[in-house]
Short mmCIF file of all heavy atoms in Angstrom, two decimals:
data_model
loop_
_atom_site.label_atom_id
_atom_site.label_comp_id
_atom_site.label_asym_id
_atom_site.label_seq_id
_atom_site.Cartn_x
_atom_site.Cartn_y
_atom_site.Cartn_z
N ALA A 107 130.91 91.46 96.95
CA ALA A 107 132.24 90.94 97.22
C ALA A 107 132.34 89.61 96.47
O ALA A 107 131.54 88.71 96.70
CB ALA A 107 132.42 90.74 98.71
N TYR A 108 133.29 89.49 95.58
CA TYR A 108 133.36 88.28 94.75
C TYR A 108 134.13 87.14 95.41
O TYR A 108 134.10 86.02 94.94
CB TYR A 108 133.97 88.62 93.37
CG TYR A 108 132.94 89.21 92.46
CD1 TYR A 108 132.68 90.58 92.48
CD2 TYR A 108 132.18 88.40 91.62
CE1 TYR A 108 131.70 91.12 91.67
CE2 TYR A 108 131.20 88.93 90.81
CZ TYR A 108 130.96 90.28 90.84
OH TYR A 108 129.98 90.80 90.05
N TYR A 109 134.83 87.48 96.50
CA TYR A 109 135.65 86.44 97.14
C TYR A 109 135.50 86.56 98.64
O TYR A 109 136.42 86.92 99.37
CB TYR A 109 137.12 86.60 96.70
CG TYR A 109 137.95 85.36 96.90
CD1 TYR A 109 137.68 84.20 96.18
CD2 TYR A 109 139.01 85.35 97.80
CE1 TYR A 109 138.43 83.05 96.36
CE2 TYR A 109 139.79 84.20 97.98
CZ TYR A 109 139.48 83.06 97.26
OH TYR A 109 140.22 81.92 97.43
N ARG A 110 134.29 86.26 99.09
CA ARG A 110 133.98 86.39 100.51
C ARG A 110 132.82 85.45 100.79
O ARG A 110 131.91 85.33 99.97
CB ARG A 110 133.56 87.83 100.78
CG ARG A 110 132.91 88.04 102.11
CD ARG A 110 132.54 89.51 102.28
NE ARG A 110 131.53 89.64 103.31
CZ ARG A 110 130.90 90.78 103.56
NH1 ARG A 110 131.18 91.86 102.87
NH2 ARG A 110 130.00 90.82 104.51
N VAL A 111 132.83 84.80 101.94
CA VAL A 111 131.74 83.89 102.29
C VAL A 111 131.14 84.17 103.67
O VAL A 111 130.10 83.62 104.01
CB VAL A 111 132.17 82.40 102.23
CG1 VAL A 111 132.54 82.00 100.80
CG2 VAL A 111 133.33 82.13 103.18
N ASP A 112 131.77 85.04 104.44
CA ASP A 112 131.28 85.25 105.80
C ASP A 112 130.49 86.54 105.91
O ASP A 112 130.56 87.40 105.02
CB ASP A 112 132.47 85.29 106.78
CG ASP A 112 133.44 86.41 106.41
OD1 ASP A 112 133.52 86.74 105.20
OD2 ASP A 112 134.11 86.96 107.31
N GLY A 113 129.72 86.66 106.97
CA GLY A 113 128.98 87.89 107.23
C GLY A 113 127.86 88.15 106.24
O GLY A 113 127.44 89.29 106.07
N LEU A 114 127.37 87.12 105.57
CA LEU A 114 126.26 87.28 104.62
C LEU A 114 124.99 86.73 105.25
O LEU A 114 125.04 85.88 106.13
CB LEU A 114 126.57 86.56 103.30
CG LEU A 114 127.87 87.00 102.60
CD1 LEU A 114 128.16 86.09 101.41
CD2 LEU A 114 127.78 88.45 102.14
N THR A 115 123.83 87.19 104.79
CA THR A 115 122.54 86.80 105.36
C THR A 115 121.69 86.05 104.34
O THR A 115 121.58 86.49 103.19
CB THR A 115 121.77 88.08 105.79
OG1 THR A 115 122.61 88.83 106.65
CG2 THR A 115 120.48 87.74 106.52
N ARG A 116 121.10 84.92 104.76
CA ARG A 116 120.13 84.18 103.94
C ARG A 116 120.63 83.85 102.54
O ARG A 116 119.89 83.96 101.54
CB ARG A 116 118.82 84.97 103.79
CG ARG A 116 117.81 84.67 104.87
CD ARG A 116 116.45 85.21 104.53
NE ARG A 116 115.59 84.21 103.90
CZ ARG A 116 114.93 83.27 104.55
NH1 ARG A 116 115.04 83.17 105.85
NH2 ARG A 116 114.17 82.41 103.92
N VAL A 117 121.87 83.47 102.43
CA VAL A 117 122.40 83.05 101.13
C VAL A 117 121.63 81.80 100.68
O VAL A 117 121.32 80.93 101.50
CB VAL A 117 123.91 82.76 101.23
CG1 VAL A 117 124.45 82.20 99.92
CG2 VAL A 117 124.67 84.01 101.65
N ALA A 118 121.29 81.71 99.39
CA ALA A 118 120.59 80.54 98.87
C ALA A 118 121.37 79.29 99.28
O ALA A 118 122.60 79.26 99.18
CB ALA A 118 120.48 80.63 97.35
N PRO A 119 120.65 78.25 99.76
CA PRO A 119 121.34 77.08 100.34
C PRO A 119 122.43 76.49 99.44
O PRO A 119 123.50 76.14 99.93
CB PRO A 119 120.20 76.08 100.56
CG PRO A 119 118.98 76.92 100.70
CD PRO A 119 119.18 78.15 99.86
N ALA A 120 122.18 76.41 98.15
CA ALA A 120 123.16 75.78 97.26
C ALA A 120 124.46 76.58 97.16
O ALA A 120 125.47 76.05 96.70
CB ALA A 120 122.56 75.61 95.88
N LEU A 121 124.42 77.84 97.57
CA LEU A 121 125.60 78.71 97.39
C LEU A 121 126.32 79.01 98.69
O LEU A 121 127.34 79.70 98.70
CB LEU A 121 125.17 80.02 96.73
CG LEU A 121 124.51 79.87 95.36
CD1 LEU A 121 123.96 81.21 94.88
CD2 LEU A 121 125.51 79.32 94.34
N ARG A 122 125.76 78.52 99.81
CA ARG A 122 126.37 78.85 101.11
C ARG A 122 127.82 78.38 101.17
O ARG A 122 128.11 77.27 100.72
CB ARG A 122 125.57 78.23 102.25
CG ARG A 122 124.40 79.12 102.56
CD ARG A 122 123.53 78.61 103.67
NE ARG A 122 122.21 79.21 103.44
CZ ARG A 122 121.06 78.71 103.85
NH1 ARG A 122 121.04 77.59 104.54
NH2 ARG A 122 119.93 79.33 103.57
N GLY A 123 128.67 79.24 101.67
CA GLY A 123 130.07 78.87 101.82
C GLY A 123 130.86 78.97 100.52
O GLY A 123 132.04 78.64 100.50
N LYS A 124 130.20 79.41 99.46
CA LYS A 124 130.91 79.52 98.18
C LYS A 124 131.04 80.99 97.78
O LYS A 124 130.06 81.73 97.84
CB LYS A 124 130.15 78.78 97.08
CG LYS A 124 130.07 77.29 97.31
CD LYS A 124 129.30 76.62 96.18
CE LYS A 124 129.15 75.14 96.49
NZ LYS A 124 128.13 74.50 95.66
N PRO A 125 132.24 81.39 97.33
CA PRO A 125 132.37 82.76 96.83
C PRO A 125 131.75 82.86 95.43
O PRO A 125 131.52 81.84 94.78
CB PRO A 125 133.88 82.97 96.78
CG PRO A 125 134.44 81.59 96.57
CD PRO A 125 133.48 80.63 97.23
N VAL A 126 131.48 84.08 94.97
CA VAL A 126 130.89 84.25 93.63
C VAL A 126 131.86 83.75 92.57
O VAL A 126 131.47 83.08 91.62
CB VAL A 126 130.51 85.73 93.38
CG1 VAL A 126 129.84 85.89 92.02
CG2 VAL A 126 129.59 86.26 94.49
N LEU A 127 133.13 84.08 92.72
CA LEU A 127 134.17 83.59 91.80
C LEU A 127 135.25 82.90 92.63
O LEU A 127 135.48 83.27 93.79
CB LEU A 127 134.79 84.77 91.02
CG LEU A 127 133.88 85.56 90.09
CD1 LEU A 127 134.66 86.72 89.44
CD2 LEU A 127 133.27 84.68 88.99
N ASN A 128 135.91 81.91 92.05
CA ASN A 128 137.02 81.28 92.78
C ASN A 128 138.33 82.04 92.54
O ASN A 128 138.36 83.00 91.74
CB ASN A 128 137.12 79.78 92.44
CG ASN A 128 137.51 79.54 90.98
OD1 ASN A 128 138.26 80.32 90.39
ND2 ASN A 128 137.02 78.45 90.41
N ALA A 129 139.38 81.63 93.23
CA ALA A 129 140.64 82.40 93.20
C ALA A 129 141.18 82.52 91.76
O ALA A 129 141.63 83.60 91.35
CB ALA A 129 141.67 81.72 94.10
N GLN A 130 141.09 81.44 91.01
CA GLN A 130 141.59 81.48 89.63
C GLN A 130 140.79 82.49 88.79
O GLN A 130 141.36 83.27 88.03
CB GLN A 130 141.46 80.07 89.01
CG GLN A 130 142.00 79.98 87.60
CD GLN A 130 143.49 80.29 87.56
OE1 GLN A 130 144.29 79.63 88.21
NE2 GLN A 130 143.86 81.33 86.80
N GLU A 131 139.48 82.46 88.98
CA GLU A 131 138.62 83.38 88.21
C GLU A 131 138.89 84.83 88.59
O GLU A 131 138.92 85.72 87.73
CB GLU A 131 137.15 83.02 88.44
CG GLU A 131 136.78 81.69 87.78
CD GLU A 131 135.47 81.09 88.28
OE1 GLU A 131 135.03 81.39 89.41
OE2 GLU A 131 134.89 80.27 87.54
N ILE A 132 139.12 85.08 89.89
CA ILE A 132 139.46 86.45 90.33
C ILE A 132 140.74 86.90 89.61
O ILE A 132 140.80 88.00 89.05
CB ILE A 132 139.71 86.50 91.86
CG1 ILE A 132 138.44 86.15 92.63
CG2 ILE A 132 140.27 87.87 92.27
CD1 ILE A 132 137.42 87.24 92.75
N GLU A 133 141.74 86.03 89.59
CA GLU A 133 143.01 86.40 88.96
C GLU A 133 142.83 86.64 87.46
O GLU A 133 143.44 87.54 86.88
CB GLU A 133 144.08 85.34 89.22
CG GLU A 133 144.55 85.30 90.68
CD GLU A 133 144.99 86.67 91.19
OE1 GLU A 133 145.63 87.45 90.45
OE2 GLU A 133 144.70 86.97 92.39
N ASP A 134 141.99 85.83 86.81
CA ASP A 134 141.74 86.03 85.38
C ASP A 134 141.10 87.40 85.13
O ASP A 134 141.48 88.13 84.21
CB ASP A 134 140.83 84.92 84.84
CG ASP A 134 141.51 83.54 84.85
OD1 ASP A 134 142.76 83.50 84.94
OD2 ASP A 134 140.80 82.52 84.76
#
Side-chain angles (χ1 to χ4, degrees):
Chain A
Y108 279 86
Y109 199 65
R110 167 179 160 188
V111 295
D112 59 331
L114 303 172
T115 306
R116 270 193 95 80
V117 175
L121 301 172
R122 278 180 204 155
K124 296 180 184 164
V126 182
L127 297 178
N128 66 33
Q130 182 62 58
E131 290 164 336
I132 297 281
E133 290 307 322
D134 293 342

